Amino acid sequence: MSPYSWQRSSYCQEGDACVHIASSPAAIHLTESADPARTVLTTNPAAFAALLDLIGQRSRG
């Protein structure tokens, strides 16, 4: 059983390829439901916020 409380992405459609996120004060954890190994990527909140900001800038054009 995972020690994290996972939340599925709001952009997830029906199917197996969904990003899941869990957070704590010191870390952000990401996994993808289609990954049979359930690999967990971990980063700090500042780095994750910078990634989201960059993605948002690119999607706005």
Side-chain angles (χ1 to χ4, degrees):
M1 179 169 201
S2 174
Y4 308 117
S5 179
W6 295 104
Q7 179 180 345
R8 189 169 73 172
S9 168
S10 61
Y11 290 98
C12 183
Q13 302 294 320
E14 295 295 321
D16 290 335
C18 295
V19 173
H20 298 261
I21 186 169
S23 65
S24 66
I28 304 292
H29 311 283
L30 300 162
T31 192
E32 200 257 322
S33 56
D35 176 11
R38 298 293 283 182
T39 303
V40 175
L41 303 175
T42 301
T43 189
N44 64 58
F48 187 65
L51 173 65
L52 294 179
D53 185 50
L54 180 62
I55 291 169
Q57 288 175 16
R58 291 187 180 205
S59 69
R60 289 187 293 270

